[in-house]
Amino acid sequence: MPGTSGISRRALFAGSAAGTAAALLPAGPATAAPQPEATARGRAKAGASGASYRAAYHFTVPDQWKNDPQRPIWIDGEYHYYYLYNADYFTGAVGTAWRLATTRDLVSFSDRGVAVPKDTTPGGDLWSGSAVVDTGNTAGFGAGAVVVIVTMSPGGGTDHQEQFLYYSTDGGRSFSNYGTDPVLPNPGVADFRDPKVIRDEDRGRWVMALAENDKIGFYHSDDLKSWVYAGGFVHDGIGVLECPDLFRITAGDGTVKWVLGASANGKSSGLPNTYAYWTGSFDGSAFTADASDPQWLDHGWDWYAAVTFEKRDASGAVDSGARYAIGWVNNWDYANTTPTIDCDGFNGSDSIVREVILKKASDGTCYLASQPVAGLDSYVSRTVNLGDVTVNGTKVLDYTGISYEVTTSIDWSQLTGAGLQLRRSPDGGRHIDAGIYDAYAFLNRRNTVNADTSGKWQESRTPFDRSAGTVKLRVLVDRTSVEMFVDDGRYVHTSQVFPYLLDTRLALFTIGGSAVFRNTVIREFSV
């Protein structure tokens, strides 16, 4: 997916709700690019005059701009996480490079600087793609070389997308281009981008999934340099499919499924604008879905261009029963509207890394369930155990905080709704609501500052059976995001928010009855 253009920092806030948030804080200068060994998150925790919108425990770009995550790969005991980065965002220049951060636990990241630079060939800047470790030297760059297949649009436009190859022989830290010709030329279509390459060990070849408007095309290659079309999967009604994903995963009962995913915009149909996926089978050339309609890995408004990647243990062994996932916490409808620009000199945050597993529903269908990565437990700096709290109406807790996690199991015999008011203002007028109501679970940002000035995308909903009489909520709150995991994580809601920094209260609420919030625990993190 292409990078965004940079525009005037002040102009970004004109007429926007986020501009109000930015006005609360003194404008800070753009931060200089950090040295390669800097911690990607910690460098700019303190914004101008100590006021900052920099996330406390989520990945954020050190400076300037980021958008699409690229699938992390495992090299020498750590994950290499590449992402689209524009060092010229504040000057108004268009175009992204691939910047690199490394991590061992998927919580703390170290910035390694730009790995694949932009504008060094006639192809221009780099869009989304994928990196693979060529352990078998199929491409001829040496065993263990890192090969990137990436979309570029020669000529600087967006209407001639082709796939190019870059390679690294230093462990993925720096890359060279494999000539200036595409390894997969455009056949004459407008949308032809975001290659996702996997190794098909069963057939001894590489497979590429490519976004082609309402189709995901599949291609084969023996050497990563020459690609042959093999087939495609078509689904319309959810906008242009972007950033495809393809992987195999095994459920706890031994059921094996292939999963085909894509970032898609279903808002016009009342569906999410996040990561759509289908479970099914894949024969190396064609994907057959279990059902025609997709499921969604996130139901909020801001979990886009997400990627999944292999879960490995310390020895590097792959867990066939789980994967990790990370998404860009933003939305192209309002991507340039954020107070982080003036306060901290950057625009670009990610979700927490999730662990994703395959589960079976009561009707026998399969779905993906997500929970925050276990490594987060190692960064707990404070725990507030509230135990069981009985609520009838609204109960403001004796707790204040900006960045934290809260978990609770809500039990009731009869009520209409229940949940939490997050980042509540001192007068109670501003807050983010997370919980259940009637026949759905929801995350609502309407009563706090957020970038959706249209007012259309304020509350996300997922199905919920209130007759169960119980629900478990795990909610991650940071300076610019809220992520709500419902019960086993089949349903997750991620939305971008910009609460005033003085909005630090937390309340529990019920509607139409009383409930007990059991085992209510708040955790803060120091990363």
Side-chain angles (χ1 to χ4, degrees), residues 167-190:
Y167 66 94
S168 169
T169 57
D170 64 358
R173 296 298 183 93
S174 63
F175 288 78
S176 300
N177 63 287
Y178 176 64
T180 58
D181 294 329
V183 294
L184 181 57
N186 190 305
V189 297

Side-chain angles (χ1 to χ4, degrees), residues 412-416 436 438-440 464-471:
W412 63 86
S413 58
Q414 183 175 359
L415 53 62
T416 304
I436 58 99
D438 197 19
Y440 55 87
F464 182 78
D465 182 5
R466 185 161 44 94
S467 68
T470 186
V471 64

Side-chain angles (χ1 to χ4, degrees), residues 267-347:
K267 289 191 299 187
S268 63
S269 304
L271 298 171
N273 179 28
T274 59
Y275 179 109
Y277 72 90
W278 296 262
T279 62
S281 59
F282 181 66
D283 65 5
S285 299
F287 179 85
T288 303
D290 293 332
S292 59
D293 291 334
Q295 301 184 70
W296 300 82
L297 203 50
D298 196 285
H299 291 258
W301 302 119
D302 302 303
W303 202 71
Y304 202 73
V307 292
T308 71
F309 55 103
E310 294 173 332
K311 179 185 178 183
R312 294 178 180 262
D313 63 20
S315 69
V318 176
D319 184 345
S320 63
R323 287 178 75 81
Y324 291 125
I326 189 171
W328 177 46
V329 181
N330 211 332
N331 187 308
W332 283 114
D333 286 356
Y334 40 74
N336 290 307
T337 307
T338 166
T340 63
I341 296 171
D342 277 338
C343 302
D344 303 282
F346 81 96
N347 182 353

Side-chain angles (χ1 to χ4, degrees), residues 176-238:
S176 300
N177 63 287
Y178 176 64
T180 58
D181 294 329
V183 294
L184 181 57
N186 190 305
V189 297
D191 298 299
F192 196 70
R193 60 179 179 267
D194 307 341
K196 189 62 57 67
V197 177
I198 64 171
R199 182 68 182 171
D200 184 354
E201 295 292 358
D202 296 340
R203 300 166 186 85
R205 64 191 178 194
W206 299 97
V207 174
M208 176 196 296
L210 193 68
E212 303 175 31
N213 198 278
D214 62 352
K215 181 180 80 171
I216 297 175
F218 301 116
Y219 298 78
H220 296 157
S221 177
D222 293 326
D223 61 3
L224 294 166
K225 298 174 180 176
S226 300
W227 294 89
V228 178
Y229 179 73
F233 175 84
V234 177
H235 187 88
D236 58 15
I238 52 175

Side-chain angles (χ1 to χ4, degrees), residues 148-177:
V148 162
I149 308 294
V150 60
T151 299
M152 301 172 74
S153 183
T158 60
D159 57 351
H160 191 69
Q161 302 159 16
E162 301 185 300
Q163 317 318 313
F164 294 80
L165 188 152
Y166 285 75
Y167 66 94
S168 169
T169 57
D170 64 358
R173 296 298 183 93
S174 63
F175 288 78
S176 300
N177 63 287

